[in-house]
């Protein structure tokens, strides 16, 4: 009985180990099954999540000479994503540009400026964020749009050499030359627009030559700084079509200041102090850079500064003449570019001026004195000879 019990006990022990092994195997299989089910469900879920591209994507020209609207409507079938905010990736460029400009937006409208001398192309697709798609971003296919201005007229009818200058940040003036292929009856008109205007305006003060418009004097442009300034110059002719020209400026980048004035040059030992006044007008002093051309006798060099004063060390204490001129331009803190002003009047210092003055007067004085002395000597010599002759004549006369 004991042996049987032992055997029975051993038998029972063996049975218990087998049961534990089967139970452990069953749990592992259950875990594997759950993971595969969840992963398969995720793959199946992601495979089923799709988003349509935006609808009615188009490029709209509101008549602002290059400032265009890119607009669209939401994709269809977004009922399953009511709690998700759909985003849009928009890419756009002028046709000949190598690089796309890219933005991510939640809006249904985007505005920007384009060069209408060239075509415009854009594309957009919808994006579903990760929190709406079980952790992976879902993208729609692309919607595309293009825009072109009708290319009427030959290229050689367009204006040439367009030049715009914003004088002293106050007065804008643009000038051009007629197209090489434009007929004699052709004339041009200028239109402009920037964001503070509700519509494009035509120039009201044309510059003319022989009855033809060759430029425009603009009126006071309120709130026009640091904005794109759009210009279109088109033309009319009874005998041909004229190709329009489009331009985009930032006015602060074409400012031409007045030249500095009231220059002063003072010297203390070998140190030279050059100073000038800030140009008159609305340009802040912090927005200007100056170029100085300094001459010491026959040696000249150029330097720049953002201050209206500079100190220079003379190369020689024997210098006879020091001169300088200054001109100004918008600096990098206020503009990306600018136009140099005209040069100021020259200011000079001359060393040993009394010597020069002395030489100036002394040389003529010496020459005059020498001339007077010679004349006097000649006269005295002649008078002496005359006296001698008179004396000898009296001596020979008999009593």
């Amino acid at each position: 009985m004991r042996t049987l019990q032992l055997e029975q006990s051993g038998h029972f022990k063996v049975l218990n180990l087998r049961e534990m092994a089967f139970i452990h195997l069953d749990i592992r299989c259950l875990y594997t099954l759950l993971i595969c089910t969840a992963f398969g469900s995720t793959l199946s879920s992601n495979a089923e999540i799709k988003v349509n591209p935006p609808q009615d994507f188009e490029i709209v020209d509101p008549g602002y000479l290059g400032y265009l609207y890119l607009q669209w409507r939401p994709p269809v079938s977004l009922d399953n994503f009511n709690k998700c905010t759909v985003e849009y990736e928009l890419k756009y460029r002028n046709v000949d540009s190598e690089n796309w400009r890219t933005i991510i937006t939640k809006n249904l409208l985007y505005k920007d400026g384009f060069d209408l001398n060239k075509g415009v192309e854009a594309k957009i697709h919808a994006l579903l964020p990760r929190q709406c798609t079980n952790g992976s971003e879902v993208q729609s296919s692309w919607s595309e749009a293009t825009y072109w201005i009708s290319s009427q007229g030959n290229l050689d009818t367009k204006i040439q050499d367009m030049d715009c200058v914003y004088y002293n940040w106050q007065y804008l003036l643009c000038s051009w030359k007629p197209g090489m292929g434009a007929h004699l009856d052709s004339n041009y008109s200028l239109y402009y627009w920037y964001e503070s205007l509700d519509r494009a305006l035509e120039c009201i003060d044309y510059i003319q030559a022989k009855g033809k418009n060759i430029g425009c004097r603009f009126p006071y442009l309120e709130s026009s700084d640091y904005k794109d300034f759009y210009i279109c110059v088109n033309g009319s002719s009874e005998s041909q079509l004229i190709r329009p020209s489009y331009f985009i400026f930032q006015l602060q980048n074409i400012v031409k200041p007045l030249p500095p004035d009231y220059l002063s040059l003072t010297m203390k030992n070998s140190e030279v102090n050059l100073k000038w006044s800030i140009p008159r007008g609305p340009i802040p002093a912090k927005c200007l850079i100056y170029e100085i051309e300094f001459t010491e006798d026959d040696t000249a060099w150029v330097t720049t500064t953002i201050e209206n004063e500079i100190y220079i060390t003379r190369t020689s204490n024997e210098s006879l003449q020091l001169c300088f001129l200054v001109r100004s331009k918008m600096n990098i803190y206020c503009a990306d570019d600018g136009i140099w002003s005209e040069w100021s009047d020259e200011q000079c210092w001359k060393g040993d001026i009394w010597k020069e003055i002395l030489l100036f007067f002394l040389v003529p004085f010496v020459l005059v004195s020498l001339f007077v002395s010679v004349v006097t000597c000649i006269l005295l010599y002649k008078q002496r000879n005359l006296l001698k002759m008179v004396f000898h004549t009296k001596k020979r006369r008999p009593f």
Side-chain angles (χ1 to χ4, degrees):
M1 293 291 293
R2 189 175 298 173
T3 305
L4 180 61
Q5 288 177 353
L6 289 173
E7 289 178 359
Q8 289 178 345
S9 299
H11 179 68
F12 290 140
K13 183 181 290 187
V14 170
L15 287 177
N16 288 337
L17 288 173
R18 288 177 180 175
E19 288 176 358
M20 290 176 64
F22 278 117
I23 291 171
H24 182 66
L25 181 62
D26 289 344
I27 292 174
R28 288 180 61 186
C29 289
L30 179 61
Y31 281 155
T32 303
L33 180 62
L34 289 173
I35 290 171
C36 290
T37 302
F39 184 69
S41 174
T42 301
L43 291 176
S44 174
S45 175
N46 280 345
E48 293 173 359
I49 296 176
K50 293 182 179 180
V51 60
N52 291 311
Q55 303 180 82
D56 302 330
F57 179 47
E58 61 180 341
I59 302 172
V60 178
D61 186 353
Y64 296 152
L65 313 180
Y67 189 69
L68 303 181
Y69 296 172
L70 290 79
Q71 59 188 35
W72 58 93
R73 293 196 300 115
V76 296
S77 304
L78 284 178
D79 297 338
N80 297 329
F81 306 102
N82 291 333
K83 296 182 180 180
C84 292
T85 301
V86 179
E87 295 182 335
Y88 304 96
E89 182 179 15
L90 173 66
K91 293 177 177 286
Y92 60 92
R93 65 181 179 180
N94 275 111
V95 169
D96 66 341
S97 175
E98 295 183 359
N99 300 318
W100 292 88
R101 296 187 66 180
T102 303
I103 64 153
I104 304 294
T105 180
K106 299 176 182 178
N107 299 322
L108 300 175
L109 174 68
Y110 189 75
K111 306 174 184 179
D112 205 351
F114 296 87
D115 180 1
L116 293 189
N117 296 301
K118 310 163 187 174
V120 177
E121 58 183 348
K123 57 184 180 180
I124 190 171
H125 63 184
L127 306 174
L128 289 179
R130 297 177 185 277
Q131 60 266 28
C132 301
T133 59
N134 298 321
S136 61
E137 186 180 72
V138 175
Q139 303 177 356
S140 76
S141 58
W142 291 98
S143 292
E144 299 183 356
T146 58
Y147 180 78
W148 294 82
I149 290 287
S150 59
S151 54
Q152 65 174 24
N154 294 327
L155 277 173
D156 60 1
T157 62
K158 294 175 62 170
I159 62 167
Q160 307 176 82
D161 303 333
M162 180 68 160
D163 182 43
C164 291
V165 180
Y166 201 17
Y167 289 97
N168 208 34
W169 214 334
Q170 291 176 302
Y171 313 105
L172 177 62
L173 188 148
C174 291
S175 61
W176 60 84
K177 295 178 182 177
M180 292 290 292
H183 293 173
L184 293 177
D185 68 336
S186 301
N187 203 3
Y188 296 91
S189 302
L190 180 145
Y191 297 85
Y192 65 96
W193 181 85
Y194 58 95
E195 279 195 70
S196 297
L197 301 179
D198 58 0
R199 59 187 176 87
L201 300 177
E202 184 181 0
C203 175
I204 58 174
D205 187 9
Y206 284 107
I207 302 168
Q208 293 191 326
K210 298 180 181 179
K212 305 297 183 182
N213 298 334
I214 60 166
C216 177
R217 300 182 190 90
F218 290 76
Y220 173 68
L221 301 170
E222 184 176 4
S223 303
S224 60
D225 303 326
Y226 300 100
K227 299 176 181 177
D228 285 336
F229 192 90
Y230 298 85
I231 291 177
C232 172
V233 181
N234 60 20
S236 60
S237 169
E238 294 183 358
S239 57
Q240 65 178 163
L241 295 174
I242 304 296
R243 180 75 65 93
S245 298
Y246 295 89
F247 305 90
I248 305 175
F249 297 102
Q250 288 255 329
L251 295 186
Q252 74 277 359
N253 294 334
I254 56 173
V255 169
K256 182 176 182 177
L258 291 173
D261 52 13
Y262 302 112
L263 279 64
S264 68
L265 188 157
T266 55
M267 197 167 61
K268 185 177 180 181
N269 298 326
S270 62
E271 189 175 64
V272 183
N273 174 239
L274 311 178
K275 195 171 183 179
W276 54 91
S277 66
I278 297 168
R280 301 182 303 277
I283 304 176
K286 65 180 181 180
C287 289
L288 291 171
I289 185 172
Y290 302 96
E291 185 175 71
I292 302 98
E293 183 180 292
F294 181 74
T295 304
E296 183 175 356
D297 290 338
D298 296 328
T299 303
W301 53 272
V302 176
T303 188
T304 57
T305 179
I306 59 173
E307 304 294 336
N308 65 320
E309 183 177 15
I310 190 172
Y311 289 89
I312 295 173
T313 301
R314 297 169 64 183
T315 58
S316 172
N317 290 331
E318 303 299 323
S319 303
L320 297 178
Q321 180 170 283
L322 306 174
C323 294
F324 80 105
L325 309 94
V326 187
R327 61 178 180 174
S328 58
K329 189 179 83 165
M330 295 283 285
N331 63 33
I332 60 173
Y333 302 108
C334 298
D336 296 326
D337 201 354
I339 302 172
W340 284 109
S341 73
E342 301 299 326
W343 286 102
S344 67
D345 293 332
E346 188 178 54
Q347 178 69 23
C348 292
W349 171 90
K350 294 185 177 180
D352 296 328
I353 191 169
W354 290 110
K355 288 183 179 180
E356 292 190 11
I357 293 174
L358 185 61
L359 289 173
F360 180 79
F361 288 104
L362 183 60
V363 171
F365 177 77
V366 169
L367 292 175
V368 171
S369 299
L370 181 60
F371 176 76
V372 171
S373 299
V374 171
V375 171
T376 303
C377 290
I378 293 172
L379 291 175
L380 288 175
Y381 179 77
K382 287 184 176 182
Q383 186 177 11
R384 180 182 175 188
N385 289 338
L386 182 59
L387 290 174
K388 282 184 177 181
M389 289 176 61
V390 172
F391 177 77
H392 287 295
T393 302
K394 284 183 178 181
K395 188 173 182 182
R396 292 175 182 176
R397 186 179 298 171
F399 293 103

